Amino acid sequence: MPHLEISDLITATDPHSGARLPVRRDEVIRRLHEAGDRRGARIVEALPADRQGVLDPAAVDRLMIDVHTELQRLSEELRIGERLVHVLGPLFDAIRATAVSAGGGTPLRLVDIGSGLGYVIRWLAAHGALGPDVELVGVDLDSALVGEAGRLARAEGLDCRFVHGNAFDLPEAATVYVSTGVLHHFRGPDLAEFFRAQAASPALAFCHFDIAATRLAPVGAWVFHRARMRHPLGRHDGVASARRAHTDETLLHAAAAPGMRPLLYEPRGLANPFCTTLRPVLGVRPELEAPLRRAMGRAARRLVGPEQLGGAPR
């Protein structure tokens, strides 16, 4: 049975126009029942809908903002900002050192795909973690989350911006794409297509953090979300996301897009499974790998390519 996340099912957006699409409650419930997820179906049954059975978009927006607010607290506890800077700092140092940004003086730009409430972008902006020459942009298909992210950034007086739309259709090219907790939402060929779109862009690198697919991940996710999250949807989706996490082999195989060198930081064999929750898969233009390893110093030992990781993709 597939593991479905309710948040994926109760919102729908036209990928071309960005327009919101109606979602029928009974259709979501049917899909959850077909997946054998009776608990998920009960959660959706409690969501308000109109006389035609279409989920109330305002109620869904409020729910998504509430759940993502709780997720931000989890990100704070897991120190996601520090984890990103541990890798992104050396990556931008390598880009500056090799001057492969070309165009001399062209601003460096970090684009967060699926930025939600913008915690990562706002944290980086608040700490000035990547330097003043890096523009910080968050992009999400959910207009309600983008609106709330922008409101929070303005209230906090941060130098960053948020865009509603497709991260690959921005008028200004990204230097580095990042995401946190997005990869497990892609299934089958969509995962490789996600990486190919970045390799085909002018971007020099990508760095995507997602749940480490260890045997402990579902149990850890249950305990963590049970203790820290209040809404049933957040608890449900937190465990489902851990069950959907991709293996190291699957991520490296999918990230092997033309023109990009795929690398995984802290794969299973090099990490303590009791401490590892999220870790990144990277793609860098080939000329960037050596400078990146130099910039990382001893930590570069934890950076491995497909030739160092056996096993077939799942």
Side-chain angles (χ1 to χ4, degrees):
M1 292 287 185
H3 298 292
L4 303 177
E5 292 182 59
I6 296 172
S7 55
D8 285 344
L9 305 177
I10 62 175
T11 59
T13 302
D14 186 309
H16 303 292
S17 67
R20 186 171 192 148
L21 302 175
V23 177
R24 293 190 58 82
R25 183 172 59 187
D26 56 358
E27 175 63 17
V28 177
I29 293 171
R30 180 189 65 77
R31 293 185 62 184
L32 289 166
H33 275 301
E34 287 181 352
D37 188 350
R38 288 182 295 178
R39 177 171 174 263
R42 287 196 299 272
I43 293 172
V44 176
E45 284 170 358
L47 299 181
D50 64 16
R51 293 181 178 179
Q52 286 72 45
V54 175
L55 287 170
D56 180 350
V60 169
D61 286 348
R62 288 194 298 272
L63 176 58
M64 293 293 286
I65 290 173
D66 287 348
V67 170
H68 277 76
T69 300
E70 291 193 325
L71 279 172
Q72 174 170 319
R73 297 191 190 110
L74 287 183
S75 297
E76 292 167 353
E77 292 191 21
L78 293 173
R79 304 184 70 171
I80 297 300
E82 288 92 337
R83 293 186 186 206
L84 262 74
V85 172
H86 179 68
V87 179
L88 291 176
L91 180 57
F92 274 100
D93 286 344
I95 290 171
R96 295 184 186 99
T98 55
V100 289
S101 57
T106 300
L108 302 176
R109 185 171 296 109
L110 180 81
V111 174
D112 183 12
I113 303 173
S115 55
L117 290 185
Y119 171 72
V120 165
I121 291 295
R122 290 189 289 112
W123 190 95
L124 293 171
H127 291 79
L130 299 179
D133 59 336
V134 180
E135 183 185 6
L136 302 169
V137 184
V139 184
D140 204 294
L141 290 172
D142 189 313
S143 60
L145 294 179
V146 167
E148 182 66 3
R151 186 190 69 79
L152 291 169
R154 288 191 296 275
E156 295 160 349
L158 299 176
D159 184 16
C160 58
R161 61 188 174 96
F162 294 92
V163 178
H164 173 224
N166 187 331
F168 303 128
D169 288 338
L170 297 178
E172 300 166 318
T175 309
V176 176
Y177 284 108
V178 298
S179 71
T180 53
V182 167
L183 295 181
H184 65 269
H185 290 279
F186 294 103
R187 317 309 299 177
D190 290 344
L191 183 63
E193 181 53 38
F194 174 72
F195 290 115
R196 278 197 293 268
Q198 294 163 82
S201 79
L204 300 178
F206 56 73
C207 179
H208 299 291
F209 280 71
D210 206 17
I211 302 166
T214 66
R215 291 182 179 180
L216 297 174
V219 177
W222 186 89
V223 172
F224 213 60
H225 287 81
R226 190 75 185 174
R228 288 290 184 264
M229 302 198 74
R230 298 293 174 264
H231 197 281
L233 186 150
R235 293 177 171 178
H236 174 279
D237 282 9
V239 177
S241 62
R243 289 174 171 160
R244 302 176 77 192
H246 297 295
T247 65
D248 293 348
E249 293 80 7
T250 296
L251 288 176
L252 273 181
H253 180 75
M260 282 288 185
R261 162 70 165 155
L263 297 164
L264 195 64
Y265 189 65
E266 292 190 321
R268 283 193 306 274
L270 298 179
N272 182 340
F274 290 97
C275 300
T276 303
T277 50
L278 297 165
R279 48 93 183 92
V281 60
L282 296 93
V284 298
R285 299 298 179 192
E287 62 272 24
L288 269 178
E289 182 177 359
L292 171 61
R293 289 184 180 277
R294 284 196 296 273
M296 294 189 77
R298 289 173 60 84
R301 294 178 301 176
R302 297 175 178 271
L303 205 57
V304 304
E307 71 282 358
Q308 295 160 282
L309 198 68
R314 183 170 63 181

